[in-house]
Amino acid sequence: MGLEVKSLELRDWRNFEERDIALAGMTVFHGKNAVGKTNAVEALQMLTAGQSFRKPKPSQQIREGASSAKVTARLEGDGRVLDLSCTIESNKRRFTRNGKRIHAAEVPQSLMSVLFNPDDLSFVKRGASYRRDEIDSFGREANVGFAKVLAAYQRSVEQRNRLLKDASIDQALLAAWDESLALGGATLLQSRLRLFGRLRDHLERIYTEISQGERLSCSYECSLGPDVEGLSRDELAELFVKRLHERRADELRRQQTLVGPQRDDVVFLLDGRDARAFGSQGQQRSIVLAWKMAEVELCEEIVGDTPLLLLDDVMSELDAERRDAVTSFVQAGIQTVVTTTNLNYFPDELLSCAKVVRFGE
């Protein structure tokens, strides 16, 4: 059955002084706004993804007046018991698994999670960086190697950008950086394209299923040009260097790197028309819903276990048809934690087998 989270302990975490929560296969956090439901979801994400969607400073996760915070989750399944914890002191986070120190990037090796919150509903129409980050966040969780390649490339871009801002720039040094950046960028791009291709297969099928036959096509828009899928790393690196040379004057004028994975995007087409410009709100929300479902399925495919699905206050933002799609999906044996202010968003048959945890009482 894979691992499931059985309990969550919060100590001086956000607004909680002390709170212990038992979790089931389906757990509903119910209560008014601003009572801590999302804070509890964030703790679960920290213990499964090694990071928070809020991107806070560590000190922001410590309850006001306290000197430290700690969150702990017990995972059980397949004859295993794992205790995961994150301790925050001052401006540092420390993760442990069964008492042994681990890096944040290693946290998802125990159990991955997929988070869906209201900000994700604008996934289609927000800037390209949001869609890139979604792919990369999933890649970091699914593969420690992906996380290392991404971090190394991001450092290279930052260093090269500093070089481009130098008024007395050394052209020979810049050319050397081009070669280094191209190799790291090609490695990241190849990994990202492979991941995207697998996500796309699930996404397009799921979208058709939840939109009553309407067809979606999804493509990766690469700053190196079209038709990059299938190229080797060396071929991508060679093309990368060529594009850098072509954009040299623009880069020197704008003092930033204009080519590479940090400039790429994902495009969604409905009947050949850009969903960002022409898709209805309902269609755009169906796309992001299908994307999250695709991440769950791909996680099962990659790591062999079902992830923890975290649905933070999204049911109120979806219409009845899409709420039904979510309900059908989570009833397929996926451990789910969902927050809501209104239990009426859920059918009685779902609530009858769910654990409802009250907040703010």
Side-chain angles (χ1 to χ4, degrees), residues 87-105:
T87 302
I88 303 169
E89 295 174 329
S90 183
N91 216 31
K92 294 182 180 179
R93 298 186 184 98
R94 179 167 54 86
F95 291 91
T96 64
R97 181 190 295 122
N98 286 348
K100 184 178 179 181
R101 182 80 177 266
I102 59 173
H103 294 292

Side-chain angles (χ1 to χ4, degrees), residues 160-353:
R160 187 174 183 272
N161 285 346
R162 283 198 293 270
L163 184 62
L164 288 168
K165 291 179 172 64
D166 188 345
S168 57
I169 189 168
D170 183 332
Q171 293 297 325
L173 181 58
L174 184 57
W177 267 105
D178 287 353
E179 297 289 341
S180 176
L181 185 77
L183 184 58
T187 304
L188 173 60
L189 180 57
Q190 193 174 52
S191 297
R192 195 192 275 175
L193 285 169
R194 280 198 297 262
L195 182 61
F196 170 77
R198 297 177 71 175
L199 267 171
R200 177 180 56 200
D201 292 342
H202 292 276
L203 168 69
E204 293 179 350
R205 173 184 53 78
I206 294 170
Y207 182 87
T208 298
E209 292 174 358
I210 67 176
S211 61
Q212 299 179 332
E214 186 177 46
R215 294 200 174 275
L216 169 75
S217 63
C218 180
S219 61
Y220 187 92
E221 194 172 75
C222 182
S223 61
L224 301 185
D227 304 321
V228 294
E229 292 189 50
L231 294 183
S232 68
R233 188 182 69 164
D234 289 344
E235 289 171 330
L236 287 170
E238 183 179 345
L239 181 59
F240 203 138
V241 171
K242 179 181 178 182
R243 294 289 182 259
L244 286 171
H245 289 169
E246 291 171 351
R247 300 297 301 276
R248 177 75 82 233
D250 287 341
E251 289 192 327
L252 289 171
R253 186 181 71 256
R254 296 173 60 178
Q255 299 182 328
Q256 58 182 302
T257 303
L258 301 177
V259 176
Q262 80 284 2
R263 294 279 172 172
D264 296 350
D265 198 0
V266 174
V267 177
F268 304 98
L269 299 179
L270 295 168
D271 295 327
R273 305 178 78 190
D274 190 339
R276 185 176 182 180
F278 299 102
S280 67
Q281 183 184 71
Q283 288 172 319
Q284 291 177 354
R285 291 186 171 189
S286 288
I287 290 172
V288 66
L289 180 56
W291 183 284
K292 294 295 182 177
M293 292 178 177
E295 287 186 344
V296 171
E297 290 190 354
L298 184 56
C299 175
E300 295 173 334
E301 197 175 283
I302 291 175
V303 303
D305 283 328
T306 303
L308 173 66
L309 181 59
L310 303 171
L311 303 174
D312 184 31
D313 198 30
V314 293
M315 299 301 268
S316 62
E317 302 291 337
L318 300 174
D319 58 23
E321 180 183 339
R322 290 167 184 83
R323 284 201 297 269
D324 288 345
V326 172
T327 298
S328 297
F329 190 69
V330 301
Q331 286 179 320
I334 301 164
Q335 186 181 23
T336 303
V337 175
V338 56
T339 73
T340 187
T341 59
N342 187 352
L343 293 176
N344 292 326
Y345 291 137
F346 304 90
D348 291 340
E349 61 268 24
L350 183 66
L351 289 176
S352 66
C353 59

